[in-house]
Amino acid sequence: MDLRTPYLVFVGDAKDALAAKTGQGVVDWRGEAVVGQLRLPRCRADLGVADMTIRQAVEAGAKTFLIGVVNPGGVLPTRWQGVIVEALEAGLDIASGLHESLEGIPAIVEAARRSDRRLIEARRPAEPYPVATGRKRTGKRLLTVGTDCSVGKKYAALAIERELIARNIAADFRATGQTGILIAGSGIPIDAVVADFAAGAAETLSPDNDPDHWDVVEGQGSLFHPSFAGVSLALLHGTQPDAFVVCHEPTRTTMRNVDAPIASIEAVVEQTIALGRLTNPAVRCVGIALNTSDLDAERANQTVEQAQCQFGVPACDPVRHGVEVIVDEMLS
């Protein structure tokens, strides 16, 4: 994607930090490209960068107004339209990862035309994709899977790619969601692909490669989430992972945005192996990535140690501890 930098990240009136995960991901992994954030009244998220008006951001050099909020269904609330029009009129491109298209909103389209600015949709598939074949491909692949959505699959995948590259091992992060695409500049928004072609899109995303090359694929949702299990399964079958990492947030008891208990790590490991064997009989779990952001350091370390003892594979918090132990297991 050809995105002009730096960004003014729009946090809107996000109800909590997780609702602003797109913006937070861009700040955490492309912080040098962010000039500030714009928050509306009643916003409960803070990306930890300077608060700015549109005018202040333009004066600071901003080139793109990046919508950093996600919500169920990916809708663009009517109350945001005026701010987006103002950003266009100030000379900023608009980048969105929402399902609802910017080009379907007349006021925004007209403002973009008047100001000769671009509307960039990160959640629009760039091409048609084939039906999956299940054919075994060359190269190696790792998929991050989760006990729920929004538990750290993207962060774990990015950290693993970074560690592999630091060891001079060929690796590519393969983005499958809007935030990952905005960070990496490429990828496939798997949840926007027609269902029959989603596994085929995952095959396209991780094609044949050199024998020692690793594609590190960003997972989506959870095999146990009532809303997103279909997307998770398509990624599992299409990616054909040689290895997978289970991502989990240990303080969470219910699934995000639904009234259902969060899946256990044990259940995710078992189900991922059982279903993943359809396209890769050798699929194996190589680690547990725990999001311990709501725990103090002592409790976080205890939780990691307990998971490692219980499941017999390396465990860590990718942000707190790094992913060296998981990469060691991948390469063993």
Side-chain angles (χ1 to χ4, degrees):
M1 297 178 66
D2 181 20
L3 295 173
R4 298 192 305 154
T5 58
Y7 308 134
L8 171 63
V9 181
F10 178 61
V11 193
D13 44 12
K15 66 178 183 178
D16 57 22
L18 278 179
K21 69 174 187 176
T22 292
Q24 191 66 65
V26 172
V27 168
D28 288 346
W29 293 94
R30 290 205 65 196
E32 75 286 353
V34 175
V35 72
Q37 67 181 350
L38 173 59
R39 298 186 290 169
L40 298 178
R42 297 184 297 280
C43 180
R44 297 180 180 177
D46 186 348
L47 306 182
V49 296
D51 285 297
M52 290 187 174
T53 64
I54 290 172
R55 179 181 293 276
Q56 289 170 336
V58 170
E59 290 175 351
K63 297 291 189 295
T64 299
F65 183 89
L66 191 151
I67 298 175
V69 191
V70 294
N71 54 46
V75 298
L76 195 153
T78 303
R79 62 184 178 277
W80 293 357
Q81 291 183 23
V83 182
I84 294 171
V85 168
E86 181 185 351
L88 286 163
E89 292 175 341
L92 300 179
D93 293 337
I94 309 296
S96 172
L98 297 172
H99 277 299
E100 185 173 357
S101 173
L102 296 169
E103 294 180 356
I105 302 172
I108 292 175
V109 171
E110 176 58 23
R113 185 195 63 78
R114 288 196 312 266
S115 59
D116 193 27
R117 294 293 90 203
R118 299 181 302 153
L119 303 177
I120 302 163
E121 312 269 10
R123 218 165 186 166
R124 176 183 296 174
E127 59 185 89
Y129 298 104
V131 172
T133 67
R135 178 185 65 82
K136 180 63 178 174
R137 305 189 298 284
T138 56
K140 298 178 181 178
R141 291 162 193 84
L142 177 138
L143 176 68
T144 54
V145 302
T147 56
D148 191 9
C149 58
S150 303
V151 289
K153 294 181 289 292
K154 174 175 62 271
Y155 277 54
L158 284 162
I160 289 168
E161 181 216 30
R162 183 169 60 189
E163 177 64 19
L164 287 168
I165 291 172
R167 299 187 188 197
N168 294 317
I169 295 169
D172 286 293
F173 168 71
R174 302 300 189 184
T176 62
Q178 72 279 4
T179 308
I181 292 170
L182 290 168
I183 292 169
S186 63
I188 296 175
I190 201 74
D191 63 0
V193 176
V194 174
D196 275 358
F197 306 101
E203 290 184 350
T204 302
L205 183 68
S206 53
D208 285 303
N209 218 313
D210 295 335
D212 293 327
H213 177 280
W214 281 92
D215 272 340
V216 184
V217 184
E218 172 194 15
Q220 294 295 325
S222 170
L223 290 171
F224 291 85
H225 198 293
S227 304
F228 310 120
V231 174
S232 306
L233 183 59
L235 270 175
L236 177 59
H237 285 161
T239 300
Q240 302 178 354
D242 301 282
F244 67 91
V245 171
V246 179
C247 302
H248 177 64
E249 205 280 78
T251 68
R252 199 179 301 182
T253 58
T254 58
M255 294 277 189
R256 178 79 171 165
N257 295 319
V258 295
D259 185 18
I262 193 168
S264 69
I265 293 173
E266 182 178 16
V268 171
V269 171
E270 292 177 353
Q271 192 78 327
T272 301
I273 290 173
L275 296 173
R277 282 175 174 163
L278 177 68
T279 55
N280 189 343
V283 61
R284 67 187 181 106
C285 178
V286 297
I288 311 296
L290 297 170
N291 177 352
T292 65
S293 56
D294 286 340
L295 302 176
D296 62 32
E298 181 179 1
R299 183 60 181 148
N301 292 336
Q302 291 173 351
T303 302
V304 166
E305 290 174 7
Q306 289 170 359
Q308 187 158 307
C309 290
Q310 181 177 355
F311 299 106
V313 294
C316 63
D317 181 322
V319 174
R320 265 187 159 133
H321 309 125
V323 292
E324 290 90 347
V325 292
I326 289 177
V327 172
D328 288 343
E329 181 68 18
M330 283 174 61
L331 301 177
S332 66

